[in-house]
Amino acid sequence: MGNDTVAVAETAGSINVAVVLCLLRGQKVLLGKRRSRLGDSTFSLPSGHLEFGETFEECAARELKEETDLDIENIELLTVTNNLFLDEAKPSQYVAVFMRAVLADPSKEPHNMEPEFCDGWGWYEWDNLPKPLFWPFEKVVQNGFNPFPKSDSC
């Protein structure tokens, strides 16, 4: 039985935790166009892998800084989704932890710090998101997800 367990683990793919950030500015959200084997040329929120020992808030702030050179505050948890990438050459599973935050300095603009992973960043109205969206993001949006506080909703 022990060998069967090892064989399944070796062929089942990987499980990852991604922290996804809904960075809000007024009624807009920051999106980038992905350059990745997963979701290439689709629009997505800033995100990245949770590192060992890191809190969700720390990961959101670190990833955003690495990707855009922006600093954030008022970071809070919104929702969690489970996403299976079964059709990939190397199947994987991502637990996506969606966070919300605002800019520490609202006058700052994003800089594309990782052009090998992103074609650029832009601010988009929630009710007029660009297409195509990265499918895990599109799925959560289609299910009624809205990162804006109820008092500020569009």
Side-chain angles (χ1 to χ4, degrees):
M1 183 163 165
N3 289 340
D4 292 339
T5 302
V6 170
V8 169
E10 289 174 356
T11 60
S14 62
I15 299 172
N16 303 283
V17 176
V19 174
V20 183
L21 180 62
C22 298
L23 181 59
L24 309 183
R25 176 189 261 174
Q27 293 300 312
K28 294 184 178 183
V29 65
L30 185 68
L31 297 177
K33 193 169 187 184
R34 296 173 62 89
R35 296 184 69 177
S36 169
R37 68 174 181 83
L38 292 177
D40 190 53
S41 297
T42 61
F43 288 89
S44 187
L45 299 160
S47 61
H49 292 103
L50 182 70
E51 293 182 356
F52 182 79
E54 204 172 33
T55 67
F56 299 146
E57 294 84 359
E58 290 167 342
C59 181
R62 176 185 53 77
E63 285 291 343
L64 186 71
K65 186 71 170 177
E66 290 174 1
E67 295 174 5
T68 68
D69 198 32
L70 293 173
D71 295 307
I72 52 176
E73 61 187 17
N74 302 331
I75 308 168
E76 57 187 320
L77 175 68
L78 294 178
T79 192
V80 177
T81 64
N82 186 31
N83 306 283
L84 297 173
F85 293 84
L86 300 176
D87 295 333
E88 299 297 322
K90 184 177 178 185
S92 60
Q93 177 177 358
Y94 275 85
V95 175
V97 179
F98 285 79
M99 308 293 287
R100 171 175 57 213
V102 296
L103 290 169
D105 180 348
S107 69
K108 296 287 185 184
E109 290 295 332
H111 298 281
N112 193 9
M113 306 300 289
E114 297 178 327
E116 66 276 17
F117 299 120
C118 180
D119 282 334
W121 297 99
W123 296 100
Y124 296 90
E125 293 178 5
W126 186 253
D127 291 335
N128 192 25
L129 295 172
K131 303 276 190 266
L133 296 177
F134 185 41
W135 77 260
F137 179 42
E138 181 177 38
K139 182 174 77 170
V140 77
V141 169
Q142 288 175 347
N143 287 334
F145 173 77
N146 186 326
F148 292 90
K150 290 194 187 324
S151 62
D152 294 336
S153 287
C154 299

